[in-house]
Amino acid sequence: MFTACHAALMKTLCRQFRLGKSRLETLAVLVMALAQSRTVNLTHLACHLPGQATHASGYRRLQRFFQHVQLESDRLALLVVSMLNLSRKKCLVLDRTNWKIGSTDVNILMLAIVTRRFRVPLLWSMIGHQGCSDTDQC
């Protein structure tokens, strides 16, 4: 059973992304799960998916979504900005973070909107090396 909030979200997402009904539905429940769980961990998000499917099935559904769907970053940023209802001026932050996963360097440059309680990523770029960067490298 879906709510009016879910229907409105589906309508908004449909205008922004060219996805089939099943993928659009998964994106909508994913967005709602992100808001409910306040985490990006797929295991936790799967607990918030509606329906009678098992937790493992929900988890696999989310994995398949990210395996097969690539959302256009500019459309995604516009969607996030429109959903934040930016009636007041907001602060933007540009941040670079670097860490290692095993022997692999993960270096991300990210632009985010600062809200009262959290930062909302808008655009990001993976940088293919560790350490400092300059504009020519991004």
Side-chain angles (χ1 to χ4, degrees):
M1 183 171 146
F2 296 111
T3 64
C5 180
H6 180 267
L9 182 57
M10 286 285 290
K11 189 175 180 180
T12 300
L13 293 173
C14 185
R15 287 190 299 250
Q16 290 292 330
F17 302 105
R18 292 184 182 157
L19 296 172
K21 185 178 178 187
S22 175
R23 299 281 189 218
L24 194 62
E25 179 70 39
T26 300
L27 180 57
V29 297
L30 175 62
V31 169
M32 293 179 71
L34 284 164
Q36 291 171 349
S37 66
R38 298 180 351 183
T39 181
V40 296
N41 185 310
L42 294 185
T43 302
H44 296 283
L45 293 173
C47 295
H48 295 277
L49 299 184
Q52 300 298 318
T54 66
H55 178 267
S57 294
Y59 177 72
R60 186 66 189 126
R61 177 182 180 188
L62 294 175
Q63 284 181 317
R64 281 192 305 272
F65 179 82
F66 286 108
Q67 181 181 4
H68 298 292
V69 175
Q70 186 171 359
L71 302 174
E72 299 168 23
S73 60
D74 56 339
R75 288 185 176 269
L76 192 57
L78 288 172
L79 175 68
V80 168
V81 168
S82 70
M83 292 179 80
L84 285 176
N85 190 15
L86 300 175
S87 56
R88 297 184 313 220
K89 289 184 179 180
K90 295 288 185 205
C91 182
L92 295 176
V93 293
L94 187 63
D95 186 27
R96 185 196 58 85
T97 185
N98 180 240
W99 69 92
K100 281 189 178 277
I101 298 176
S103 62
T104 303
D105 285 302
V106 178
N107 196 355
I108 302 173
L109 181 65
M110 185 173 302
L111 178 68
I113 291 180
V114 177
T115 68
R116 216 172 40 168
R117 292 195 273 164
F118 48 88
R119 310 305 176 254
V120 180
L122 293 176
L123 300 169
W124 55 89
S125 177
M126 301 295 286
I127 301 170
H129 60 84
Q130 68 179 10
C132 297
S133 303
D134 60 33
T135 54
D136 292 335
Q137 294 172 323
C138 297

